[in-house]
Amino acid sequence: MSTTPRHRRGRRGIAVLLIVATTTTVAATLALTLSRGQVLAAVTASTAASASASLLAVTGPGPAGTWTAGSPEQPGGIAEPSGHEHFRIGSITKTFVATVILQLVDEDRIDLDAPVDTYLPATVPDGATITVRQILNHTSGLYDYMKGDGWSTNRWRGDERFTAHSPDQLLAEAFRHEPYFAPGTDFRYSNTNYIVAGKVVEAVTGRPYGVVIEHRILRPLNLTGTSFPGSDPELPEPAVHAVATLDNGSVVDVTEQNVSLDWAAGEMISTTRDLEAFFDALLGGRLISDDALAQMRTTVPMGMGFHYGLGLERFDLPCGGQLWGHGGQLLGYVTYAYRRDDGRSLTMLLASGRSDGFVSFAAATGATYCLA
């Protein structure tokens, strides 16, 4: 997932190989008695030990459906999730932002290889040498403001979780630090890039970035379950509620928090249905031109089979083929939303887990894409 440090990619890559190999081997036995749908149900049910609620939606060619699991005995658990609940999608917000920028590229209002200073004069340090493309694919070198104490929604912040932040405050925190490297010389995931991207959208359009996304994406696709909370700490009902276990063993409710600290890098709320519809429209060529989509899918290596494009991640399946999408993580919520080019998609939410949920995701992709 996008919020994972690069040094963990190696362990993930090995995990993918082991999990898919195991899944494929076990499938030879399971296929004698179980359909692939039953395997997907079993994968979802297996998450109950580590998540208070799980949603798995698979659409497109082949067995499809929605599978849910709840752990009512866990704090914040849901006995029987319906699959229609709202939840926080974290960094998947970045794909919406990047899509709007590519639409503006199609309209000749943004040039991917123009310096950021073109659209945000005297805003970004070295903005004359950092391009829009480098902002979108995390090769700008800009320091990630979320690395600072109290600046990340992936960590418990106590009462500070209700504090509102402005995009300018987030950038000020980032720009207090030296960049990781010279622009274009390396890759490092940084949420600062998408705070800059959100401000580029606003500078070019003259409208709040959320309003622009609503006008250009949410309304045309009828994504009625997707929203921008701003400083509102609540989730729309029906909602997946979540908790987190702190280092001292205490359990805290993390459902409500002010996620303006994420802004254009990860504030959005959505549903499995809306995420599937969004990625189907984007990757199916209905939101941007073929050329823009090709630019979006031009990637840089992240390590061990992962690649990052312009607001898109490519995940290479060990059994062959590629998935395109993005992951999102925000305290209490882990989401994966991916699609294969034949239209088969997988959207997965894990609530209240203690990890990034990658083992469950790898098992789900194995069952969805690698079982004959």
Side-chain angles (χ1 to χ4, degrees):
M1 185 176 300
S2 52
T3 53
T4 302
R6 287 194 303 163
H7 69 271
R8 292 174 61 186
R9 292 288 182 182
R11 293 198 295 272
R12 271 195 175 183
I14 294 169
V16 175
L17 293 171
L18 292 175
I19 292 167
V20 174
T22 301
T23 302
T24 306
T25 301
V26 171
T29 302
L30 291 177
L32 297 175
T33 56
L34 300 178
S35 68
R36 181 153 50 175
Q38 288 173 306
V39 175
L40 287 166
V43 169
T44 307
S46 71
T47 65
S50 59
S52 61
S54 303
L55 310 178
L56 173 62
V58 176
T59 64
T66 298
W67 295 267
T68 66
S71 299
E73 69 280 2
Q74 293 195 29
I78 303 174
E80 294 183 6
S82 68
H84 302 294
E85 290 85 358
H86 300 86
F87 50 88
R88 303 190 188 280
I89 65 173
S91 288
I92 300 176
T93 301
K94 293 178 174 68
T95 311
F96 286 86
V97 175
T99 299
V100 163
I101 287 185
L102 268 296
Q103 289 179 336
L104 294 169
V105 169
D106 278 335
E107 297 165 12
D108 295 324
R109 299 171 70 182
I110 290 179
D111 181 345
L112 286 175
D113 295 311
V116 174
D117 270 1
T118 305
Y119 312 102
L120 299 174
T123 300
V124 179
D126 294 325
T129 60
I130 298 173
T131 67
V132 175
R133 185 188 304 275
Q134 290 164 348
I135 289 293
L136 296 182
N137 69 7
H138 298 292
T139 60
S140 70
L142 293 176
Y143 180 84
D144 187 352
Y145 72 91
M146 286 195 185
K147 298 303 181 185
D149 290 341
W151 288 91
S152 174
T153 53
N154 281 345
R155 296 185 287 273
W156 176 246
R157 294 178 292 133
D159 291 342
E160 288 299 312
R161 70 191 186 280
F162 297 116
T163 300
H165 295 78
S166 72
D168 287 341
Q169 287 177 305
L170 308 182
L171 292 183
E173 169 61 19
F175 299 155
R176 289 194 310 107
H177 302 268
E178 291 296 316
Y180 295 121
F181 47 78
T185 61
D186 202 351
F187 168 90
R188 179 151 179 167
Y189 190 95
S190 172
N191 291 284
T192 303
N193 287 314
Y194 276 78
I195 303 303
V196 174
K199 289 184 71 69
V200 168
V201 170
E202 295 192 340
V204 172
T205 64
R207 307 174 74 188
Y209 95 96
V211 172
V212 176
I213 291 177
E214 181 178 1
H215 174 72
R216 288 172 171 264
I217 300 175
L218 305 190
R219 289 181 184 173
L221 297 181
N222 194 31
L223 305 185
T224 57
T226 303
S227 60
F228 300 83
S231 293
D232 184 349
E234 297 184 357
L235 274 176
E237 295 292 342
V240 174
H241 293 254
V243 298
T245 303
L246 306 185
D247 291 340
N248 63 9
S250 60
V251 177
V252 292
D253 191 311
V254 298
T255 306
E256 294 187 357
Q257 57 174 304
N258 184 325
V259 293
S260 61
L261 186 59
D262 285 354
W263 199 57
E267 73 165 306
M268 291 176 69
I269 294 166
S270 193
T271 65
T272 56
R273 177 263 171 195
D274 277 12
L275 290 178
E276 183 277 325
F278 166 62
F279 279 103
D280 188 63
L282 172 62
L283 297 167
R286 291 187 282 125
L287 290 177
I288 57 179
S289 68
D290 290 346
D291 181 66
L293 185 57
Q295 295 291 329
M296 206 172 194
R297 289 166 54 130
T298 300
T299 61
V300 294
M302 299 176 74
M304 294 304 295
F306 288 82
H307 305 263
Y308 204 92
L310 306 184
L312 271 182
E313 281 189 347
R314 192 184 89 209
F315 177 74
D316 294 341
L317 291 165
C319 60
Q322 300 172 341
L323 305 182
W324 293 91
H326 212 289
Q329 187 171 357
L330 191 151
L331 189 62
Y333 300 89
V334 174
T335 308
Y336 292 90
Y338 285 84
R339 179 185 184 274
R340 194 167 61 187
D341 282 344
D342 65 355
R344 188 162 177 76
S345 70
L346 177 150
T347 307
M348 187 174 197
L349 166 74
L350 302 173
S352 308
R354 298 193 183 190
S355 70
D356 62 7
F358 184 73
V359 170
S360 297
F361 168 70
T365 55
T368 302
Y369 298 100
C370 296
L371 297 189

